[in-house]
Amino acid sequence: MASALRSAVLRRIQVPIARSTVINGSQMTAVRSMSSHGDDHLDKQEVVDRVLEVIKCFPKVDPSKVNPDVHFQKDLGLDSLDTVEIVMALEEEFKLEIPDKEADKIDSCPLAIEYIFNHPMSS
Amino acid sequence: MASSLKFVRVPPNSANIAEARQRVFEFFKTACRSIPTIMDIYNLDDVSSPSQLRSTISAEIRKNAHVTNTQVIDMLLFKGTEELSNIVEHAKQRHHILGQYILPHEESQDVGTKDQGASDFLKNFYKGNYF
């Protein structure tokens, strides 16, 4: 009985064919389900929080002094080797490998946040 | 990592102090990037952390911060590279790493949670025997 009713109802129902998936159009490029990166990009606030967390965990840094505008050597009293150490800690945290030329330029919190936020592979 | 370090050649001497300084930073970065490998092959996850090892490496470099002679810096860099490649190639054993790099730097840090209830005698015993 139920199956007869069900088939009767199903025969009447018509669903319009969805026209939204265009094979060669731009909508197919929006979702790349097996892609390892791209749509899981970090948002700015998360990058800021994690960078500050890494810097606060650094043994020589006073956590109360850390804020998003801090300069490693001028404000936190670190030396050049400490700066490299922080950059390496950031590399580990965000699973990056920062080339030497860029790594030399990163000497303050805003620069680190900007570089990591703009890096496509940071996670 | 091990294979890339195998082909390291001795570079020519640094021309000036700036170049030597740059090489020290490069060495420090190479050492930091091999930390995950080192922690993996020597099973260091339960006794140390990557940030502790980084601090240890920088402390070892800082011991020689007073050196200004470029030839001496080059020699120290060579010895450091040699040590690093020995460690990465697993030419050492776990207790070498523990005794040389982890226990001496642990004095200032808190002892692991599992030793909290132990007496001073037992703590010293554990320390003296490299686990």
Side-chain angles (χ1 to χ4, degrees):
Chain A
M1 180 62 201
S3 62
L5 182 66
R6 189 163 143 249
S7 60
V9 169
L10 282 180
R11 215 172 292 138
R12 298 270 166 197
I13 290 178
Q14 287 184 344
V15 178
I17 296 170
R19 309 290 296 177
S20 60
T21 49
V22 184
I23 300 297
N24 294 322
S26 58
Q27 280 163 330
M28 283 303 284
T29 59
V31 179
R32 298 173 62 197
S33 59
M34 299 297 278
S35 168
S36 63
H37 64 278
D39 45 355
D40 58 345
H41 197 69
L42 300 172
D43 65 337
K44 188 102 180 182
Q45 192 54 44
E46 193 189 344
V47 172
V48 173
D49 290 344
R50 282 167 65 187
V51 167
L52 292 188
E53 190 58 32
V54 168
I55 297 171
K56 279 177 190 167
C57 289
F58 194 69
K60 289 178 192 166
V61 168
D62 179 9
S64 59
K65 284 186 189 168
V66 177
N67 62 58
D69 300 320
V70 83
H71 189 280
F72 296 149
Q73 298 188 21
K74 285 176 198 154
D75 302 332
L76 296 177
L78 302 176
D79 63 6
S80 48
L81 193 62
D82 291 322
T83 307
V84 180
E85 198 176 333
I86 285 186
V87 172
M88 298 310 293
L90 290 171
E91 274 195 7
E92 188 211 346
E93 166 74 19
F94 291 93
K95 300 185 177 59
L96 296 174
E97 188 153 320
I98 305 176
D100 290 348
K101 271 186 185 170
E102 276 83 6
D104 291 345
K105 288 179 202 151
I106 298 176
D107 59 354
S108 66
C109 221
L111 286 176
I113 291 170
E114 191 192 342
Y115 181 82
I116 292 169
F117 180 64
N118 290 327
H119 199 286
M121 297 296 282
S122 55
S123 62
Chain B
M1 197 65 224
S3 58
S4 66
L5 280 175
K6 220 177 259 180
F7 302 108
V8 165
R9 294 280 174 273
V10 182
N13 284 342
S14 306
N16 49 27
I17 193 92
E19 192 185 341
R21 191 181 146 85
Q22 196 57 41
R23 281 188 190 172
V24 173
F25 288 137
E26 274 170 31
F27 168 71
F28 181 57
K29 283 180 194 167
T30 315
C32 284
R33 282 177 185 148
S34 55
I35 282 178
T37 322
I38 295 169
M39 295 197 69
D40 195 36
I41 59 180
Y42 294 101
N43 277 327
L44 299 179
D45 292 292
D46 51 344
V47 290
S48 189
S49 69
S51 65
Q52 275 180 25
L53 289 180
R54 261 196 303 273
S55 301
T56 305
I57 298 171
S58 72
E60 293 286 326
I61 292 177
R62 226 176 280 271
K63 273 184 195 167
N64 300 312
H66 59 280
V67 178
T68 50
N69 186 345
T70 53
Q71 291 187 345
V72 177
I73 297 176
D74 284 343
M75 183 272 292
L76 290 169
L77 269 176
F78 179 76
K79 289 178 81 167
T81 313
E82 187 185 24
E83 176 77 7
L84 178 65
S85 79
N86 280 344
I87 291 176
V88 171
E89 284 171 9
H90 214 157
K92 291 177 173 258
Q93 293 179 2
R94 187 168 185 259
H95 69 272
H96 293 132
I97 310 290
L98 286 178
Q100 213 170 343
Y101 296 111
I102 294 179
L103 291 183
H105 298 272
E106 224 170 42
E107 310 299 338
S108 58
Q109 287 147 4
D110 56 336
V111 190
T113 46
K114 60 183 172 184
D115 290 344
Q116 291 296 347
S119 65
D120 286 344
F121 170 76
L122 265 186
K123 281 179 189 168
N124 288 331
F125 177 78
Y126 292 145
K127 262 182 206 164
N129 281 285
Y130 294 167
F131 288 31

